[in-house]
Amino acid sequence: PLLRTVRMTFDPAAVPAFLDLFRATRDRIAAQPGCHGVALWADPRFANVLTTVSEWESVEALDAYRASALFRETWAETRAWFAAPPVALSHVEAGV
């Protein structure tokens, strides 16, 4: 499995709009082939910093989602609200 995190710093005024978008698309993202779930985490210190955490069957499954119309549309709307560049990381089990 692959764990994907995307830490996003938003313009504080845009947080409600992003939360609405996430609520509206979360189930559609989770239903993508190879997705085993998606969640949203908040930074306890900064209300405008949110992180999506998703689990994918493989790098290929994540890449297929990232090539989808759903991703392109959602990301285009989301990135307009950023106050800083996002930090996206992919993780696999270390095997220890």
Side-chain angles (χ1 to χ4, degrees), residues 50-69:
L50 300 166
T51 300
T52 56
V53 179
S54 55
E55 186 176 334
W56 297 87
E57 189 172 292
S58 63
V59 171
E60 293 79 14
L62 173 61
D63 287 345
Y65 164 64
R66 293 183 70 223
S68 73

Side-chain angles (χ1 to χ4, degrees), residues 79-93:
R79 71 177 176 210
W81 298 322
F82 290 152
V87 178
L89 300 170
S90 293
H91 309 272
V92 295
E93 287 187 50

Side-chain angles (χ1 to χ4, degrees), residues 25 27-30 32 65 67-76:
T25 57
D27 291 343
R28 291 173 55 206
I29 295 167
Q32 294 298 298
Y65 164 64
S68 73
L70 174 60
F71 175 83
R72 285 192 307 273
E73 293 162 12
T74 303
W75 192 246

